[in-house]
Amino acid sequence: MANSNIVSLPIYYNASENNRLAFDALMSKAKSLQYKLSLTNEEMVAMIDKLTAAKNNLNGKATDFSKADELLEEYNNRDNNQRYHNATAPSQLAYDNAINELKKLQNTTQVTQATVDSAIANVIEAKNQLDGKVLSTEEQNKFDAIKSFKEDIAYYQEAIKYLPDAYRTAAEGLLQTQGLNVLPNINAFSTESIVSMQNNLKTWLDFYIKSADKQLQGKRDLEAKIQELQNLVDTKLSLYTELNRATDFINASKEMLQDPSKAYLYEEQSTKLTTVINEAIDAQNKADKLIADKEKERAAALEELLKLQVPGKDSYIKFTDENYKITASLDDIVERTKLVAKILPYLGDVYAGNPIDPEYLKYKTVDEYLQVGTPAYDKMVTTINRLKEDILKEFALGRGTKDSMGSNIDKRIKTVVTDEDVINLKPLIDLADTYSKRALENINRMRFAIGVPPMKMAPISDKRKAMMIVHALAGYQAGQNPDFKIGDSHVGTIAVLLVPHAMTAGYSENVYPSANAPIISNHFTPEYMADVYNKLELMEGIKYFSDYFNDTEAKSGHYTNIILPQHQYFYSAMIVGNVVPENNSFLSYRVSLTELFYELADDQYKWWLKHFDEWPKVNPETDLDRTDFNNL
C-alpha cells in the first residue's frame, strides 16, 4: 500500500497511459489482497515483486514548464509585439485568458504534463488568432497616434464626471468639438495633425481636470487594486470563501467606480482591497501547507495500520468469531476506527473556507460521468423526469412508506424500468459504479482494520443497477418533501427487490437524504462523495459504537452496516439533482445516496420465509423482466 503514494508523483501521473494502467491494475489487486485475512507470505512477496516491476516501468518525468515559461516571458513583452499591440480587444482578451489559465497551473500541485501541454496549446492557438496587423514605421506611428487620441477621449469622458457643475459644461463642450467630432474622420488627418489636435485637447481639458486630481488619482489607484485582486482570483486562489470574498470586493469596487459622487471613498476602498489581497494570499498559503501536512499524516496512519493489523501480533483485532459473536473490545474497535479515519484524503469544508485534497483533481467529475451537454444527458434527464413523475404519483397513493419495507409488498412503489430506460440511464449507472467502487475500498479498509473479511461488489447487470437507481430516486424525492423527517428517507419500492443477483438476506437504506445541505464544488467527483460519506460513517462509529450493546436507537447503525461480517455484497447509487451555479465556476449539487448490503440466503432463511408464508411476491431470480405490478 505504500506504493499508493506513487500516484502523487510525476513518475506516475506523467507516465505513458499503458504503463500507468498496468500499475493501476496491480494496485487494485494489491488493495484487495491486503484485506485477505488468510494472506500468505508467498502471496505478499509475489505481489510486491509485481508492483515493484510495474513501478519501475513507470516512465513519468517531472512536469516540464520550460515551454510555458517561454510563452509567459513572451507575453510579458506583448506590447512590443505588433500582432498583440494592434489587435482588437476581444482578440487580446482571448490571449490574456489563455495566459492566465497557464499561470494558474504554476500554482497547482500534481499538475500533469498533459494538462500543461493542453494549456500551452491553448495559448499558442490564442496567440495565432491575434488579429493585430504588422505595420510599417509610418503606419504604426499613425495607428498609435489614433489609438492614443481615442484613449485620451475615453479618459476625459470619464474624468469630466468628477468636475464641479460650473466646469463640467464647458469641458464637455470642448471635448465634443475638439475630440468626439473629429473621430469619424480621424484617418483623413496626418499623424502630425492628430498629435497636434491631441495636445491642444489635453492642454485645455487638463486645465479643468486639475481641480479633480485627487479624485482621479484615487480612481486610478482603485482600478489598479481591482486588477491586482482579479489577477489573484485568476491565477492563485482556490478557496471557495476567499474567491467569493474577493469577487464581492471586486464587484463592489467596480460599482463604486461607476458613481463619481463616491470618489471620496476610493482611497479607503483601495486600502480595504490591499487588506483583502494580503489576507487571501495568507489563507491560500496556509491551505496549501495544511494539505501537505495532511498527506504526511495519511501516509503515517496507513503505515501504522499495516504494522498493527498483522495476524498473530498482540495488536491484531478480530471483531467477531466465525459465528459472528463479538470477540473484540468495543473501545479497541473505536480506537482502530480513529486510525482508519486519518487515512482518508483531507475533505475540508468549502463553507468554512477549507481546501480540498488535490487528489480529487485526478478523477472525472460528476458532470463528465453524466455527460452534461450531450444527447445522452438529455435522454437520461427525460427518463429520470418520467420516472420521478411516476414515483410522485405512487407517493400520492400512499405507497412507499416505511411499513411497505417488510412483507407488505403491495404498498411498495411499483415504478420499474424498461429495457430502453436501462440504456438511457447508463450515465447514472456509470456514476454509481465508480461511487460504489470507491465506497467499497473505504469499507473494506475499515473491515481489514478489525479482522473482518472484505465485501464484494454485487455481481449485478445494468438492468438490476437501473432498478437500484429507481429505488435511490424514490429516496431522493422523499428528501425533497417540504415536510421531510429523517425517517422518511427509508422508502419501500418494488425496484429494490429486483436488484440482488440471487435470493438474499439483507436490505437497502437511503443513507444520505437529499434534504442535506448541497455539496459545493468546482470539481465534484464520485470519489469525493464516497469519502465524505465514509467519514460520516466512521465519525458515527467513533461517537456511538462503544455503547453498542446499550444502543436502542441504532445511533451507530450506518457504521455497523459496513463492519458486520454477515454482509457479503454491496452496491450503491448516487443521485445528483438541482445543480445550481455558484460564484467563480463553483456549482451546488443536491445529492442523495442509497446503499444495498446483502448476503446470500441460506436454506434456513428460505425455509423461514416459506414457513411463515412470507416468501416475497417479487423474486429477483424470476421476476426481473416484469414491468407490470398492478396486481400487487
Side-chain angles (χ1 to χ4, degrees), residues 57 76 81 94 135 142 155 163 186 201 246 308 334 367 396 418 426 432 454 493 495 547 563 594:
N57 285 334
N76 290 338
N81 177 0
L135 305 173
K142 184 169 184 177
Y155 164 73
L163 296 177
I186 190 70
L201 186 67
L308 292 174
V334 170
D367 299 61
T418 64
K426 192 64 169 72
T493 69
D547 198 36
I563 66 172
T594 296

Side-chain angles (χ1 to χ4, degrees), residues 15-32:
S16 62
E17 184 177 9
N18 288 340
N19 290 355
R20 194 172 67 251
L21 291 176
F23 182 80
D24 288 344
L26 277 173
M27 274 301 302
S28 180
K29 291 180 181 179
K31 287 180 179 179
S32 298

Side-chain angles (χ1 to χ4, degrees), residues 467-540:
M467 294 294 181
M468 183 69 176
I469 286 172
V470 169
H471 180 70
L473 186 60
Y476 178 93
Q477 289 305 125
Q480 292 297 283
N481 187 327
D483 300 322
F484 174 80
K485 298 181 179 63
I486 192 65
D488 297 340
S489 65
H490 305 308
V491 297
T493 69
I494 293 294
V496 77
L497 299 177
L498 302 175
V499 177
H501 65 290
M503 181 58 69
T504 64
Y507 62 93
S508 65
E509 184 175 3
N510 185 256
V511 293
Y512 192 91
S514 62
N516 287 346
I519 299 291
I520 306 292
S521 178
N522 62 350
H523 194 88
F524 184 34
T525 71
E527 289 83 2
Y528 173 76
M529 193 66 233
D531 292 353
V532 165
Y533 183 63
N534 183 243
K535 184 173 183 179
L536 292 175
E537 291 172 316
L538 298 179
M539 292 302 102
E540 183 182 89

Side-chain angles (χ1 to χ4, degrees), residues 20 38 90 191 199 240 256 275 323 333 364 396 422 440 477 554 585 607:
R20 194 172 67 251
S38 58
T191 303
N199 288 335
Y240 177 71
M256 187 180 290
T275 301
N323 296 314
I333 298 292
K364 285 172 57 176
V422 177
L440 203 53
Q477 289 305 125
S585 77
W607 175 89

Side-chain angles (χ1 to χ4, degrees), residues 539-611:
M539 292 302 102
E540 183 182 89
I542 291 169
K543 186 173 183 179
Y544 297 114
F545 192 69
S546 59
D547 198 36
Y548 175 73
F549 294 118
N550 300 313
D551 182 9
T552 59
E553 300 177 30
K555 292 180 179 178
S556 61
H558 301 111
Y559 170 79
T560 305
N561 282 343
I562 70 173
I563 66 172
L564 283 180
Q566 296 95 317
H567 290 161
Q568 299 170 334
Y569 296 101
F570 171 85
Y571 194 71
S572 183
M574 175 179 174
I575 301 296
V576 180
N578 294 5
V579 182
V580 179
E582 297 282 330
N583 294 327
N584 301 297
S585 77
F586 281 78
L587 295 172
S588 165
Y589 299 86
R590 184 72 67 175
V591 180
S592 182
L593 302 174
T594 296
E595 292 182 336
L596 178 64
F597 298 90
Y598 62 89
E599 61 180 314
L600 295 183
D602 56 21
D603 290 338
Q604 183 178 7
Y605 179 75
K606 293 179 181 180
W607 175 89
W608 186 88
L609 289 174
K610 186 175 181 180
H611 180 77

Side-chain angles (χ1 to χ4, degrees), residues 20 31 45 62 78 80 115 145 158 252 304 374 376 378-380 384 406-407 430 476 531 627:
R20 194 172 67 251
K31 287 180 179 179
V45 170
R78 60 193 178 279
N80 296 324
T115 302
E158 186 67 24
E304 182 180 358
T374 69
D378 295 337
K379 287 183 179 179
M380 181 195 71
I384 286 291
S407 60
D430 291 342
Y476 178 93
D531 292 353
T627 57

Side-chain angles (χ1 to χ4, degrees), residues 158-409:
E158 186 67 24
I160 284 172
K161 298 176 183 178
Y162 296 86
L163 296 177
D165 291 344
Y167 288 172
R168 187 184 308 126
T169 301
E172 286 175 341
L174 189 63
L175 180 62
Q176 185 68 46
T177 57
Q178 298 194 32
L180 294 171
N181 290 348
V182 174
L183 285 181
N185 300 307
I186 190 70
N187 289 311
F189 293 90
S190 67
T191 303
E192 292 75 14
S193 296
I194 295 170
V195 172
S196 176
M197 288 187 293
Q198 181 182 17
N199 288 335
N200 287 336
L201 186 67
K202 286 171 63 68
T203 298
W204 284 103
L205 286 180
D206 283 350
F207 173 78
Y208 290 108
I209 297 301
K210 193 171 183 179
S211 64
D213 268 353
K214 184 175 181 180
Q215 293 94 323
L216 290 173
Q217 185 58 50
K219 178 177 181 291
R220 287 190 290 270
D221 291 344
L222 182 54
E223 287 172 336
K225 283 298 174 184
I226 290 173
Q227 187 58 53
E228 184 180 352
L229 186 53
Q230 186 64 58
N231 289 340
L232 192 63
V233 168
D234 292 339
T235 61
K236 182 176 176 65
L237 292 184
S238 64
L239 300 175
Y240 177 71
T241 49
E242 292 301 328
L243 282 167
N244 280 349
R245 183 184 182 215
T247 302
D248 288 345
F249 267 95
I250 288 171
N251 292 338
S253 300
K254 286 182 176 179
E255 184 178 345
M256 187 180 290
L257 285 174
Q258 298 303 312
D259 185 358
S261 68
K262 299 288 180 63
Y264 68 96
L265 295 173
Y266 291 171
E267 184 178 354
E268 179 184 354
Q269 187 71 0
S270 294
T271 302
K272 288 181 181 178
L273 261 60
T274 299
T275 301
V276 171
I277 290 168
N278 292 336
E279 289 178 350
I281 292 174
D282 184 54
Q284 188 66 54
N285 289 339
K286 288 180 179 177
D288 294 342
K289 183 179 184 302
L290 174 63
I291 289 293
D293 291 343
K294 290 296 181 181
E295 285 301 305
K296 293 177 183 177
E297 289 181 19
R298 288 182 65 196
L302 177 59
E303 184 178 359
E304 182 180 358
L305 174 61
L306 295 177
K307 286 180 180 178
L308 292 174
Q309 194 62 2
V310 177
K313 290 184 67 172
D314 291 342
S315 57
Y316 183 77
I317 293 178
K318 187 171 177 58
F319 178 37
T320 71
D321 61 20
E322 60 276 7
N323 296 314
Y324 305 141
K325 180 181 178 182
I326 295 178
T327 57
S329 159
L330 298 187
D331 288 338
D332 287 346
I333 298 292
V334 170
E335 287 304 309
R336 188 58 56 85
T337 305
K338 292 178 182 178
L339 181 60
V340 172
K342 292 180 180 179
I343 300 174
L344 286 170
Y346 184 69
L347 298 169
D349 177 359
V350 294
Y351 295 102
N354 298 142
I356 301 298
D357 198 303
E359 173 185 330
Y360 298 111
L361 297 177
K362 300 195 294 285
Y363 304 131
K364 285 172 57 176
T365 65
V366 167
D367 299 61
E368 289 176 296
Y369 278 104
L370 299 183
Q371 302 178 47
V372 174
T374 69
Y377 177 77
D378 295 337
K379 287 183 179 179
M380 181 195 71
V381 170
T382 299
T383 301
I384 286 291
N385 287 339
R386 181 181 56 76
L387 292 170
K388 184 190 300 184
E389 183 179 347
D390 196 57
I391 288 169
L392 291 175
K393 289 178 181 177
E394 293 286 288
F395 276 135
L397 293 172
R399 297 195 180 104
T401 54
K402 286 186 69 175
D403 63 345
S404 70
M405 296 176 66
S407 60
N408 199 356
I409 293 177

